[in-house]
Amino acid sequence: DTQVFHESDRRAFDDAWRLRPLAARRKLVEQARCRWVVMKPLLDVQHLDRLLEVHPGSRAIFLVRDFADVALSSVEKWGGMLRDAVLRVAVDDHSDHWMAERLPAERHGALRDMVGDEIDAPTAAALRWWLRNELFFDLLLDTRQDEVLPVRYETLVSSPEASLEAIFAFLGLAPTRRAVSRIAADRMGRGTEETIDPAVARRCRALEERLDAVIEARRS
């Protein structure tokens, strides 16, 4: 019932891991012989509201993962590159980086206030988490309950059957054992707030709690 295009699939994404133009995406959808075509647009989440509009009938799964774990994973993968990118976005009012696209002025101002030359990689990674997850509210995705389903990563990993049942129901599909078996146990809880600037950690934790409240409300 589904065909998946990961960000490394050059049919759906370019060499910079950005979504290909609308015409190319529509062609993939037309060629697919299944109910759902799945794409993972990590660097295009800032356009998610527009993507839902230009692809009528589409749905979005908005995955929320603990910010400290994401920060640790990001540092392990990208190191200082991520720090440099966050610093550039913070100090440049006209940055062409994907993190700066559709960045509200208020959010940019708050980012600038929290970033300095001495910022370390874990704190920069946490700030990127904050920017990307604030998009859920910046784009008013919380008001699009029929189109956007927020899901806690930790719940998906620890309780895959119940989580997938909700996701499949959202998509109008029946859950399968194969789908459950493909969710591997993960090393959750490796990240720690102690490696992140306290003010940034507090801001991230507050956003996490706000997102969790939305997720819990959808579950009840």
Side-chain angles (χ1 to χ4, degrees), residues 34 46 182 199:
C34 55
Q46 64 274 17
R182 296 188 67 177

Side-chain angles (χ1 to χ4, degrees), residues 46 68 70 81 90 92 100 107 119 121-122 128 145 156 166 178 184:
Q46 64 274 17
V70 171
M81 291 176 57
D92 186 355
R107 188 94 50 241
I119 189 173
R128 187 186 71 157
Q145 296 187 12
L156 176 62
R178 181 171 179 267

Side-chain angles (χ1 to χ4, degrees), residues 3-207:
Q3 182 175 356
V4 180
F5 294 94
H6 293 285
E7 65 269 30
S8 59
D9 195 317
R10 292 296 169 258
R11 292 172 295 176
F13 297 87
D14 62 22
D15 292 338
W17 299 292
R18 300 297 301 270
L19 280 169
R20 291 200 177 278
L22 178 59
R25 301 197 306 270
R26 281 180 171 166
K27 184 176 181 180
L28 292 175
V29 173
E30 292 169 358
Q31 293 175 340
R33 297 182 178 181
C34 55
R35 183 170 180 180
W36 292 105
V37 172
V38 181
M39 298 183 187
K40 190 180 177 184
L42 294 179
L43 306 190
D44 291 286
V45 176
Q46 64 274 17
H47 303 297
L48 186 51
D49 55 339
R50 295 171 177 172
L51 291 172
L52 289 168
E53 291 166 4
V54 299
H55 292 286
S58 58
R59 299 287 185 273
I61 308 296
F62 195 98
L63 202 62
V64 179
R65 186 177 183 183
D66 179 80
F67 75 89
D69 278 350
V70 171
L72 175 62
S73 177
S74 298
V75 170
E76 289 177 343
K77 186 172 184 179
W78 301 110
M81 291 176 57
L82 179 57
R83 174 195 175 277
D84 294 342
V86 170
L87 183 58
R88 289 200 308 273
V89 171
V91 301
D92 186 355
D93 290 335
H94 305 288
S95 173
D96 61 357
H97 194 279
W98 50 266
M99 276 191 288
E101 294 173 2
R102 304 185 74 192
L103 182 62
E106 179 182 357
R107 188 94 50 241
H108 189 221
L111 176 66
R112 186 186 296 111
D113 291 342
M114 291 186 287
V115 169
D117 292 338
E118 72 285 355
I119 189 173
D120 56 32
T123 298
L127 282 171
R128 187 186 71 157
W129 179 96
W130 171 67
L131 289 176
R132 303 307 282 170
N133 284 274
E134 282 283 9
L135 288 168
F136 185 79
F137 298 106
D138 289 341
L139 303 181
L140 303 179
L141 301 180
D142 56 318
T143 68
R144 307 179 75 152
Q145 296 187 12
D146 293 337
E147 299 171 287
V148 183
L149 179 68
V151 174
R152 250 296 188 172
Y153 174 85
E154 289 78 12
T155 305
L156 176 62
V157 173
S158 61
S159 305
E161 292 188 9
S163 297
L164 284 178
E165 183 177 355
I167 292 172
F168 276 62
F170 176 68
L171 299 175
L173 299 173
T176 65
R177 290 185 178 180
R178 181 171 179 267
V180 174
S181 67
R182 296 188 67 177
I183 298 181
D186 189 56
R187 294 179 295 170
M188 296 182 293
R190 294 193 305 133
T192 173
E193 293 186 27
E194 281 68 30
T195 64
I196 300 167
D197 178 87
V200 173
R202 286 193 297 271
R203 192 177 289 265
C204 290
R205 185 61 67 195
L207 175 56

